[in-house]
Amino acid sequence: VAYFYCANNTSEPGRADLNEILQSMVRQLAFAGRSPSGASEALLADHRRRESETKIVSFERTRPGIKECIKYIFNMTNLRLATIIIDALDEVHFERRHNLTNALQRITKESASVLKLFITSRDSYSIWKEISISPQDNRTDMEAFVHHQVTLATRRSRLLNGHVSDDL
């Protein structure tokens, strides 16, 4: 699980910054399990490389950018189930919010594993337009769930008082 609370606050500008949000997600997902996954280890190796380059080239630490963070999140969510929670998305500036929602939608659609995305926001047409879910988006999942539940109920004789014909 990775969680981030967004806030449009001048005392904490990172709370509405796309880089900060994604970097926080990367950190949390990398250390979510008891032992690091292959993607997490690759992330740690990249971090060590950055640290050594920083010592050689300059005194400033370099942090992963947006594209790198998306790549890391994508790699980590490909290997295991993950849940990402973004609280108060409406607090992120419109242009940055658009980039964040696009990145999350891309990761969600392309991930080989299940990525659960939970977003809270005040009612905002621009957010609803970007991340609305239609029944077709969940159709396959719902069909599989209903089929599984009916099969289970049939096996346990809990459907139609246990009198289910073979035709059903």
Side-chain angles (χ1 to χ4, degrees):
V1 175
Y3 170 83
F4 195 89
Y5 173 72
C6 304
N8 189 9
N9 186 336
T10 55
S11 66
E12 290 184 282
R15 291 264 164 220
D17 182 71
L18 181 57
N19 278 348
E20 291 290 327
I21 295 168
L22 291 174
Q23 288 169 3
S24 176
M25 297 289 149
V26 169
R27 277 191 305 275
Q28 292 176 64
L29 291 171
F31 298 104
R34 292 181 183 241
S35 61
S37 66
S40 298
E41 291 198 11
L43 172 66
L44 291 172
D46 186 54
H47 176 72
R48 288 185 193 106
R49 178 190 57 80
R50 284 174 181 278
E51 286 285 309
S52 64
E53 287 176 0
T54 298
K55 290 176 185 174
I56 294 169
V57 178
S58 70
F59 293 110
E60 284 188 40
R61 263 190 191 174
T62 57
R63 300 176 100 184
I66 295 169
K67 287 181 182 180
E68 289 171 301
C69 286
I70 292 169
K71 180 184 81 172
Y72 293 142
I73 293 169
F74 182 74
N75 288 342
M76 286 185 280
T77 59
N78 262 341
L79 297 174
R80 62 177 180 235
L81 300 175
T83 301
I84 293 178
I85 301 167
I86 307 280
D87 193 8
L89 180 63
D90 56 291
E91 293 287 319
V92 178
H93 186 269
F94 174 75
E95 290 170 13
R96 293 181 196 134
R97 182 173 62 222
H98 178 72
N99 291 337
L100 178 60
T101 56
N102 280 347
L104 292 172
Q105 285 179 330
R106 180 176 159 233
I107 293 165
T108 303
K109 288 180 181 176
E110 295 177 13
S111 181
S113 186
V114 175
L115 173 63
K116 296 176 184 177
L117 188 58
F118 184 81
I119 297 173
T120 67
S121 172
R122 289 186 199 109
D123 195 16
S124 169
Y125 177 73
S126 64
I127 292 174
W128 179 83
K129 185 177 77 172
E130 288 184 47
I131 11 180
S132 66
I133 299 172
S134 72
Q136 283 70 31
D137 294 334
N138 292 329
R139 183 183 181 103
T140 305
D141 292 337
M142 290 304 294
E143 286 175 353
F145 174 78
V146 169
H147 183 267
H148 173 74
Q149 291 299 319
V150 169
T151 301
L152 200 60
T154 302
R155 285 187 196 144
R156 294 179 179 168
S157 297
R158 292 185 177 170
L159 191 63
L160 300 173
N161 292 324
H163 304 294
V164 179
S165 71
D166 292 334
D167 295 336
L168 290 178

